[in-house]
PDB file of all heavy atoms in Angstrom:
ATOM      1  N   GLU A 360      -3.567  -1.245  -2.396  1.00 98.00           N
ATOM      2  CA  GLU A 360      -4.806  -0.476  -2.264  1.00 98.00           C
ATOM      3  C   GLU A 360      -4.809   0.602  -3.329  1.00 98.00           C
ATOM      4  O   GLU A 360      -3.864   1.390  -3.432  1.00 98.00           O
ATOM      5  CB  GLU A 360      -4.907   0.152  -0.868  1.00 98.00           C
ATOM      6  CG  GLU A 360      -6.068   1.111  -0.689  1.00 98.00           C
ATOM      7  CD  GLU A 360      -7.424   0.515  -1.044  1.00 98.00           C
ATOM      8  OE1 GLU A 360      -7.711  -0.629  -0.616  1.00 98.00           O
ATOM      9  OE2 GLU A 360      -8.203   1.186  -1.762  1.00 98.00           O
ATOM     10  N   ILE A 361      -5.884   0.649  -4.118  1.00 98.00           N
ATOM     11  CA  ILE A 361      -5.942   1.557  -5.260  1.00 98.00           C
ATOM     12  C   ILE A 361      -6.184   3.003  -4.852  1.00 98.00           C
ATOM     13  O   ILE A 361      -5.796   3.940  -5.561  1.00 98.00           O
ATOM     14  CB  ILE A 361      -7.020   1.072  -6.262  1.00 98.00           C
ATOM     15  CG1 ILE A 361      -6.898   1.795  -7.601  1.00 98.00           C
ATOM     16  CG2 ILE A 361      -8.409   1.195  -5.676  1.00 98.00           C
ATOM     17  CD1 ILE A 361      -7.784   1.225  -8.698  1.00 98.00           C
ATOM     18  N   VAL A 362      -6.829   3.236  -3.694  1.00 97.00           N
ATOM     19  CA  VAL A 362      -7.136   4.594  -3.232  1.00 97.00           C
ATOM     20  C   VAL A 362      -5.992   5.092  -2.354  1.00 97.00           C
ATOM     21  O   VAL A 362      -5.662   4.466  -1.342  1.00 97.00           O
ATOM     22  CB  VAL A 362      -8.467   4.627  -2.452  1.00 97.00           C
ATOM     23  CG1 VAL A 362      -8.777   6.047  -1.992  1.00 97.00           C
ATOM     24  CG2 VAL A 362      -9.602   4.078  -3.311  1.00 97.00           C
ATOM     25  N   LYS A 363      -5.388   6.232  -2.711  1.00 97.00           N
ATOM     26  CA  LYS A 363      -4.149   6.693  -2.085  1.00 97.00           C
ATOM     27  C   LYS A 363      -4.276   6.896  -0.578  1.00 97.00           C
ATOM     28  O   LYS A 363      -3.434   6.419   0.193  1.00 97.00           O
ATOM     29  CB  LYS A 363      -3.700   8.002  -2.749  1.00 97.00           C
ATOM     30  CG  LYS A 363      -2.424   8.608  -2.171  1.00 97.00           C
ATOM     31  CD  LYS A 363      -1.200   7.768  -2.457  1.00 97.00           C
ATOM     32  CE  LYS A 363       0.071   8.390  -1.889  1.00 97.00           C
ATOM     33  NZ  LYS A 363       0.412   9.687  -2.477  1.00 97.00           N
ATOM     34  N   ASN A 364      -5.289   7.615  -0.116  1.00 98.00           N
ATOM     35  CA  ASN A 364      -5.369   7.877   1.328  1.00 98.00           C
ATOM     36  C   ASN A 364      -5.627   6.593   2.109  1.00 98.00           C
ATOM     37  O   ASN A 364      -5.145   6.431   3.232  1.00 98.00           O
ATOM     38  CB  ASN A 364      -6.425   8.947   1.646  1.00 98.00           C
ATOM     39  CG  ASN A 364      -7.838   8.509   1.305  1.00 98.00           C
ATOM     40  OD1 ASN A 364      -8.039   7.663   0.444  1.00 98.00           O
ATOM     41  ND2 ASN A 364      -8.826   9.087   1.968  1.00 98.00           N
ATOM     42  N   ARG A 365      -6.360   5.655   1.527  1.00 98.00           N
ATOM     43  CA  ARG A 365      -6.564   4.361   2.181  1.00 98.00           C
ATOM     44  C   ARG A 365      -5.278   3.537   2.176  1.00 98.00           C
ATOM     45  O   ARG A 365      -5.007   2.783   3.120  1.00 98.00           O
ATOM     46  CB  ARG A 365      -7.694   3.588   1.498  1.00 98.00           C
ATOM     47  CG  ARG A 365      -9.078   4.141   1.826  1.00 98.00           C
ATOM     48  CD  ARG A 365     -10.174   3.509   0.965  1.00 98.00           C
ATOM     49  NE  ARG A 365     -10.198   2.066   1.025  1.00 98.00           N
ATOM     50  CZ  ARG A 365     -10.770   1.345   1.995  1.00 98.00           C
ATOM     51  NH1 ARG A 365     -11.355   1.962   3.009  1.00 98.00           N
ATOM     52  NH2 ARG A 365     -10.759   0.021   1.954  1.00 98.00           N
ATOM     53  N   ALA A 366      -4.476   3.696   1.134  1.00 98.00           N
ATOM     54  CA  ALA A 366      -3.176   3.011   1.086  1.00 98.00           C
ATOM     55  C   ALA A 366      -2.254   3.516   2.192  1.00 98.00           C
ATOM     56  O   ALA A 366      -1.462   2.746   2.758  1.00 98.00           O
ATOM     57  CB  ALA A 366      -2.531   3.202  -0.281  1.00 98.00           C
ATOM     58  N   ASN A 367      -2.340   4.802   2.508  1.00 98.00           N
ATOM     59  CA  ASN A 367      -1.524   5.355   3.599  1.00 98.00           C
ATOM     60  C   ASN A 367      -1.942   4.776   4.953  1.00 98.00           C
ATOM     61  O   ASN A 367      -1.093   4.469   5.794  1.00 98.00           O
ATOM     62  CB  ASN A 367      -1.650   6.882   3.627  1.00 98.00           C
ATOM     63  CG  ASN A 367      -0.968   7.548   2.440  1.00 98.00           C
ATOM     64  OD1 ASN A 367       0.006   7.003   1.899  1.00 98.00           O
ATOM     65  ND2 ASN A 367      -1.464   8.693   2.020  1.00 98.00           N
ATOM     66  N   ILE A 368      -3.259   4.623   5.154  1.00 98.00           N
ATOM     67  CA  ILE A 368      -3.764   4.009   6.391  1.00 98.00           C
ATOM     68  C   ILE A 368      -3.302   2.554   6.472  1.00 98.00           C
ATOM     69  O   ILE A 368      -2.873   2.070   7.527  1.00 98.00           O
ATOM     70  CB  ILE A 368      -5.303   4.102   6.439  1.00 98.00           C
ATOM     71  CG1 ILE A 368      -5.737   5.563   6.551  1.00 98.00           C
ATOM     72  CG2 ILE A 368      -5.862   3.279   7.604  1.00 98.00           C
ATOM     73  CD1 ILE A 368      -7.228   5.782   6.355  1.00 98.00           C
ATOM     74  N   LEU A 369      -3.383   1.859   5.351  1.00 98.00           N
ATOM     75  CA  LEU A 369      -2.906   0.478   5.265  1.00 98.00           C
ATOM     76  C   LEU A 369      -1.446   0.386   5.678  1.00 98.00           C
ATOM     77  O   LEU A 369      -1.058  -0.484   6.476  1.00 98.00           O
ATOM     78  CB  LEU A 369      -3.102  -0.031   3.844  1.00 98.00           C
ATOM     79  CG  LEU A 369      -2.406  -1.330   3.436  1.00 98.00           C
ATOM     80  CD1 LEU A 369      -2.947  -2.505   4.244  1.00 98.00           C
ATOM     81  CD2 LEU A 369      -2.594  -1.575   1.933  1.00 98.00           C
ATOM     82  N   SER A 370      -0.622   1.287   5.157  1.00 98.00           N
ATOM     83  CA  SER A 370       0.802   1.279   5.472  1.00 98.00           C
ATOM     84  C   SER A 370       1.050   1.504   6.962  1.00 98.00           C
ATOM     85  O   SER A 370       1.906   0.853   7.574  1.00 98.00           O
ATOM     86  CB  SER A 370       1.517   2.351   4.640  1.00 98.00           C
ATOM     87  OG  SER A 370       2.916   2.289   4.827  1.00 98.00           O
ATOM     88  N   ASP A 371       0.300   2.415   7.572  1.00 98.00           N
ATOM     89  CA  ASP A 371       0.431   2.665   9.012  1.00 98.00           C
ATOM     90  C   ASP A 371       0.116   1.410   9.818  1.00 98.00           C
ATOM     91  O   ASP A 371       0.798   1.096  10.800  1.00 98.00           O
ATOM     92  CB  ASP A 371      -0.514   3.795   9.450  1.00 98.00           C
ATOM     93  CG  ASP A 371       0.003   5.169   9.058  1.00 98.00           C
ATOM     94  OD1 ASP A 371       1.185   5.274   8.694  1.00 98.00           O
ATOM     95  OD2 ASP A 371      -0.788   6.133   9.113  1.00 98.00           O
ATOM     96  N   ASN A 372      -0.921   0.675   9.422  1.00 98.00           N
ATOM     97  CA  ASN A 372      -1.291  -0.541  10.149  1.00 98.00           C
ATOM     98  C   ASN A 372      -0.269  -1.657   9.956  1.00 98.00           C
ATOM     99  O   ASN A 372      -0.025  -2.443  10.877  1.00 98.00           O
ATOM    100  CB  ASN A 372      -2.687  -1.000   9.727  1.00 98.00           C
ATOM    101  CG  ASN A 372      -3.777  -0.147  10.335  1.00 98.00           C
ATOM    102  OD1 ASN A 372      -3.654   0.316  11.469  1.00 98.00           O
ATOM    103  ND2 ASN A 372      -4.850   0.087   9.599  1.00 98.00           N
ATOM    104  N   ILE A 373       0.344  -1.715   8.779  1.00 98.00           N
ATOM    105  CA  ILE A 373       1.436  -2.664   8.544  1.00 98.00           C
ATOM    106  C   ILE A 373       2.618  -2.325   9.450  1.00 98.00           C
ATOM    107  O   ILE A 373       3.238  -3.204  10.055  1.00 98.00           O
ATOM    108  CB  ILE A 373       1.875  -2.635   7.063  1.00 98.00           C
ATOM    109  CG1 ILE A 373       0.749  -3.112   6.135  1.00 98.00           C
ATOM    110  CG2 ILE A 373       3.140  -3.448   6.852  1.00 98.00           C
ATOM    111  CD1 ILE A 373       0.403  -4.559   6.240  1.00 98.00           C
ATOM    112  N   ASP A 374       2.939  -1.023   9.561  1.00 98.00           N
ATOM    113  CA  ASP A 374       4.008  -0.580  10.457  1.00 98.00           C
ATOM    114  C   ASP A 374       3.716  -0.992  11.894  1.00 98.00           C
ATOM    115  O   ASP A 374       4.589  -1.508  12.602  1.00 98.00           O
ATOM    116  CB  ASP A 374       4.159   0.947  10.414  1.00 98.00           C
ATOM    117  CG  ASP A 374       4.768   1.459   9.126  1.00 98.00           C
ATOM    118  OD1 ASP A 374       5.262   0.638   8.322  1.00 98.00           O
ATOM    119  OD2 ASP A 374       4.749   2.689   8.909  1.00 98.00           O
ATOM    120  N   ARG A 375       2.492  -0.750  12.331  1.00 97.00           N
ATOM    121  CA  ARG A 375       2.099  -1.051  13.713  1.00 97.00           C
ATOM    122  C   ARG A 375       2.258  -2.536  14.021  1.00 97.00           C
ATOM    123  O   ARG A 375       2.626  -2.915  15.133  1.00 97.00           O
ATOM    124  CB  ARG A 375       0.642  -0.625  13.939  1.00 97.00           C
ATOM    125  CG  ARG A 375       0.174  -0.729  15.377  1.00 97.00           C
ATOM    126  CD  ARG A 375      -1.332  -0.519  15.452  1.00 97.00           C
ATOM    127  NE  ARG A 375      -1.736   0.768  14.912  1.00 97.00           N
ATOM    128  CZ  ARG A 375      -1.826   1.884  15.619  1.00 97.00           C
ATOM    129  NH1 ARG A 375      -1.533   1.878  16.900  1.00 97.00           N
ATOM    130  NH2 ARG A 375      -2.209   3.020  15.044  1.00 97.00           N
ATOM    131  N   PHE A 376       1.981  -3.381  13.032  1.00 97.00           N
ATOM    132  CA  PHE A 376       2.065  -4.820  13.252  1.00 97.00           C
ATOM    133  C   PHE A 376       3.502  -5.339  13.176  1.00 97.00           C
ATOM    134  O   PHE A 376       3.744  -6.509  13.430  1.00 97.00           O
ATOM    135  CB  PHE A 376       1.168  -5.550  12.249  1.00 97.00           C
ATOM    136  CG  PHE A 376       0.153  -6.432  12.911  1.00 97.00           C
ATOM    137  CD1 PHE A 376      -0.764  -5.899  13.808  1.00 97.00           C
ATOM    138  CD2 PHE A 376       0.094  -7.790  12.665  1.00 97.00           C
ATOM    139  CE1 PHE A 376      -1.705  -6.702  14.439  1.00 97.00           C
ATOM    140  CE2 PHE A 376      -0.837  -8.612  13.280  1.00 97.00           C
ATOM    141  CZ  PHE A 376      -1.742  -8.059  14.174  1.00 97.00           C
ATOM    142  N   GLY A 377       4.434  -4.472  12.807  1.00 98.00           N
ATOM    143  CA  GLY A 377       5.843  -4.848  12.835  1.00 98.00           C
ATOM    144  C   GLY A 377       6.272  -5.782  11.733  1.00 98.00           C
ATOM    145  O   GLY A 377       7.204  -6.574  11.908  1.00 98.00           O
ATOM    146  N   LEU A 378       5.629  -5.690  10.544  1.00 98.00           N
ATOM    147  CA  LEU A 378       5.949  -6.604   9.450  1.00 98.00           C
ATOM    148  C   LEU A 378       7.171  -6.115   8.677  1.00 98.00           C
ATOM    149  O   LEU A 378       7.182  -5.019   8.132  1.00 98.00           O
ATOM    150  CB  LEU A 378       4.757  -6.744   8.505  1.00 98.00           C
ATOM    151  CG  LEU A 378       3.435  -7.217   9.139  1.00 98.00           C
ATOM    152  CD1 LEU A 378       2.387  -7.426   8.053  1.00 98.00           C
ATOM    153  CD2 LEU A 378       3.626  -8.482   9.957  1.00 98.00           C
ATOM    154  N   LYS A 379       8.197  -6.932   8.607  1.00 97.00           N
ATOM    155  CA  LYS A 379       9.432  -6.568   7.907  1.00 97.00           C
ATOM    156  C   LYS A 379       9.343  -6.829   6.403  1.00 97.00           C
ATOM    157  O   LYS A 379       9.954  -6.131   5.603  1.00 97.00           O
ATOM    158  CB  LYS A 379      10.611  -7.363   8.461  1.00 97.00           C
ATOM    159  CG  LYS A 379      11.022  -7.063   9.886  1.00 97.00           C
ATOM    160  CD  LYS A 379      12.349  -7.771  10.187  1.00 97.00           C
ATOM    161  CE  LYS A 379      12.833  -7.506  11.598  1.00 97.00           C
ATOM    162  NZ  LYS A 379      12.150  -8.350  12.583  1.00 97.00           N
ATOM    163  N   ASN A 380       8.617  -7.875   6.018  1.00 96.00           N
ATOM    164  CA  ASN A 380       8.668  -8.380   4.645  1.00 96.00           C
ATOM    165  C   ASN A 380       7.509  -7.908   3.790  1.00 96.00           C
ATOM    166  O   ASN A 380       7.124  -8.572   2.830  1.00 96.00           O
ATOM    167  CB  ASN A 380       8.670  -9.914   4.671  1.00 96.00           C
ATOM    168  CG  ASN A 380       7.385 -10.464   5.295  1.00 96.00           C
ATOM    169  OD1 ASN A 380       6.783  -9.817   6.154  1.00 96.00           O
ATOM    170  ND2 ASN A 380       6.965 -11.643   4.874  1.00 96.00           N
ATOM    171  N   CYS A 381       6.941  -6.750   4.110  1.00 98.00           N
ATOM    172  CA  CYS A 381       5.731  -6.293   3.412  1.00 98.00           C
ATOM    173  C   CYS A 381       5.986  -5.029   2.601  1.00 98.00           C
ATOM    174  O   CYS A 381       6.560  -4.058   3.102  1.00 98.00           O
ATOM    175  CB  CYS A 381       4.612  -6.033   4.413  1.00 98.00           C
ATOM    176  SG  CYS A 381       3.076  -5.479   3.631  1.00 98.00           S
ATOM    177  N   ILE A 382       5.527  -5.061   1.361  1.00 98.00           N
ATOM    178  CA  ILE A 382       5.534  -3.902   0.481  1.00 98.00           C
ATOM    179  C   ILE A 382       4.088  -3.442   0.309  1.00 98.00           C
ATOM    180  O   ILE A 382       3.189  -4.269   0.121  1.00 98.00           O
ATOM    181  CB  ILE A 382       6.163  -4.253  -0.878  1.00 98.00           C
ATOM    182  CG1 ILE A 382       7.679  -4.427  -0.716  1.00 98.00           C
ATOM    183  CG2 ILE A 382       5.858  -3.203  -1.936  1.00 98.00           C
ATOM    184  CD1 ILE A 382       8.364  -4.972  -1.933  1.00 98.00           C
ATOM    185  N   VAL A 383       3.842  -2.141   0.395  1.00 98.00           N
ATOM    186  CA  VAL A 383       2.505  -1.589   0.194  1.00 98.00           C
ATOM    187  C   VAL A 383       2.496  -0.828  -1.118  1.00 98.00           C
ATOM    188  O   VAL A 383       3.291   0.107  -1.315  1.00 98.00           O
ATOM    189  CB  VAL A 383       2.087  -0.663   1.352  1.00 98.00           C
ATOM    190  CG1 VAL A 383       0.718  -0.026   1.077  1.00 98.00           C
ATOM    191  CG2 VAL A 383       2.046  -1.447   2.670  1.00 98.00           C
ATOM    192  N   THR A 384       1.611  -1.226  -2.023  1.00 98.00           N
ATOM    193  CA  THR A 384       1.522  -0.587  -3.336  1.00 98.00           C
ATOM    194  C   THR A 384       0.191   0.137  -3.499  1.00 98.00           C
ATOM    195  O   THR A 384      -0.776  -0.148  -2.795  1.00 98.00           O
ATOM    196  CB  THR A 384       1.691  -1.626  -4.461  1.00 98.00           C
ATOM    197  OG1 THR A 384       0.706  -2.658  -4.309  1.00 98.00           O
ATOM    198  CG2 THR A 384       3.076  -2.236  -4.420  1.00 98.00           C
ATOM    199  N   ASN A 385       0.168   1.062  -4.436  1.00 98.00           N
ATOM    200  CA  ASN A 385      -1.009   1.896  -4.695  1.00 98.00           C
ATOM    201  C   ASN A 385      -1.288   1.838  -6.201  1.00 98.00           C
ATOM    202  O   ASN A 385      -1.112   2.806  -6.916  1.00 98.00           O
ATOM    203  CB  ASN A 385      -0.724   3.326  -4.215  1.00 98.00           C
ATOM    204  CG  ASN A 385      -1.790   4.328  -4.564  1.00 98.00           C
ATOM    205  OD1 ASN A 385      -1.494   5.471  -4.913  1.00 98.00           O
ATOM    206  ND2 ASN A 385      -3.050   3.934  -4.478  1.00 98.00           N
ATOM    207  N   GLU A 386      -1.701   0.634  -6.648  1.00 98.00           N
ATOM    208  CA  GLU A 386      -1.838   0.382  -8.075  1.00 98.00           C
ATOM    209  C   GLU A 386      -3.213  -0.198  -8.421  1.00 98.00           C
ATOM    210  O   GLU A 386      -3.960  -0.651  -7.556  1.00 98.00           O
ATOM    211  CB  GLU A 386      -0.763  -0.611  -8.537  1.00 98.00           C
ATOM    212  CG  GLU A 386       0.605   0.005  -8.775  1.00 98.00           C
ATOM    213  CD  GLU A 386       0.665   0.908 -10.002  1.00 98.00           C
ATOM    214  OE1 GLU A 386      -0.362   1.061 -10.690  1.00 98.00           O
ATOM    215  OE2 GLU A 386       1.752   1.442 -10.280  1.00 98.00           O
ATOM    216  N   THR A 387      -3.515  -0.201  -9.718  1.00 98.00           N
ATOM    217  CA  THR A 387      -4.704  -0.890 -10.201  1.00 98.00           C
ATOM    218  C   THR A 387      -4.391  -2.382 -10.286  1.00 98.00           C
ATOM    219  O   THR A 387      -3.228  -2.775 -10.514  1.00 98.00           O
ATOM    220  CB  THR A 387      -5.108  -0.399 -11.596  1.00 98.00           C
ATOM    221  OG1 THR A 387      -4.067  -0.746 -12.533  1.00 98.00           O
ATOM    222  CG2 THR A 387      -5.329   1.113 -11.604  1.00 98.00           C
ATOM    223  N   PRO A 388      -5.388  -3.238 -10.135  1.00 98.00           N
ATOM    224  CA  PRO A 388      -5.149  -4.671 -10.324  1.00 98.00           C
ATOM    225  C   PRO A 388      -4.565  -4.995 -11.701  1.00 98.00           C
ATOM    226  O   PRO A 388      -3.702  -5.863 -11.821  1.00 98.00           O
ATOM    227  CB  PRO A 388      -6.544  -5.282 -10.147  1.00 98.00           C
ATOM    228  CG  PRO A 388      -7.254  -4.331  -9.245  1.00 98.00           C
ATOM    229  CD  PRO A 388      -6.755  -2.968  -9.648  1.00 98.00           C
ATOM    230  N   GLN A 389      -5.006  -4.268 -12.718  1.00 98.00           N
ATOM    231  CA  GLN A 389      -4.505  -4.534 -14.069  1.00 98.00           C
ATOM    232  C   GLN A 389      -3.010  -4.258 -14.174  1.00 98.00           C
ATOM    233  O   GLN A 389      -2.266  -5.047 -14.766  1.00 98.00           O
ATOM    234  CB  GLN A 389      -5.268  -3.689 -15.089  1.00 98.00           C
ATOM    235  CG  GLN A 389      -4.833  -3.947 -16.529  1.00 98.00           C
ATOM    236  CD  GLN A 389      -5.727  -3.251 -17.538  1.00 98.00           C
ATOM    237  OE1 GLN A 389      -6.862  -2.890 -17.232  1.00 98.00           O
ATOM    238  NE2 GLN A 389      -5.215  -3.076 -18.747  1.00 98.00           N
ATOM    239  N   ARG A 390      -2.561  -3.149 -13.588  1.00 98.00           N
ATOM    240  CA  ARG A 390      -1.128  -2.811 -13.652  1.00 98.00           C
ATOM    241  C   ARG A 390      -0.298  -3.871 -12.921  1.00 98.00           C
ATOM    242  O   ARG A 390       0.760  -4.282 -13.402  1.00 98.00           O
ATOM    243  CB  ARG A 390      -0.893  -1.426 -13.031  1.00 98.00           C
ATOM    244  CG  ARG A 390       0.576  -1.034 -12.942  1.00 98.00           C
ATOM    245  CD  ARG A 390       1.180  -0.771 -14.310  1.00 98.00           C
ATOM    246  NE  ARG A 390       2.619  -0.559 -14.221  1.00 98.00           N
ATOM    247  CZ  ARG A 390       3.533  -1.423 -14.663  1.00 98.00           C
ATOM    248  NH1 ARG A 390       3.158  -2.544 -15.264  1.00 98.00           N
ATOM    249  NH2 ARG A 390       4.821  -1.165 -14.544  1.00 98.00           N
ATOM    250  N   LEU A 391      -0.771  -4.328 -11.778  1.00 98.00           N
ATOM    251  CA  LEU A 391      -0.041  -5.362 -11.044  1.00 98.00           C
ATOM    252  C   LEU A 391       0.000  -6.665 -11.831  1.00 98.00           C
ATOM    253  O   LEU A 391       1.024  -7.361 -11.840  1.00 98.00           O
ATOM    254  CB  LEU A 391      -0.681  -5.589  -9.678  1.00 98.00           C
ATOM    255  CG  LEU A 391      -0.546  -4.450  -8.660  1.00 98.00           C
ATOM    256  CD1 LEU A 391      -1.271  -4.817  -7.367  1.00 98.00           C
ATOM    257  CD2 LEU A 391       0.912  -4.116  -8.364  1.00 98.00           C
TER     258      LEU A 391
END
Side-chain angles (χ1 to χ4, degrees):
E360 173 54 46
I361 193 171
V362 181
K363 179 68 179 297
N364 65 335
R365 286 171 55 82
N367 290 331
I368 294 170
L369 167 64
S370 185
D371 284 346
N372 284 325
I373 296 291
D374 288 350
R375 187 190 302 270
F376 237 59
L378 303 185
K379 293 189 179 80
N380 62 330
C381 181
I382 288 171
V383 176
T384 57
N385 173 219
E386 280 290 0
T387 65
Q389 182 172 340
R390 175 69 187 109
L391 291 178

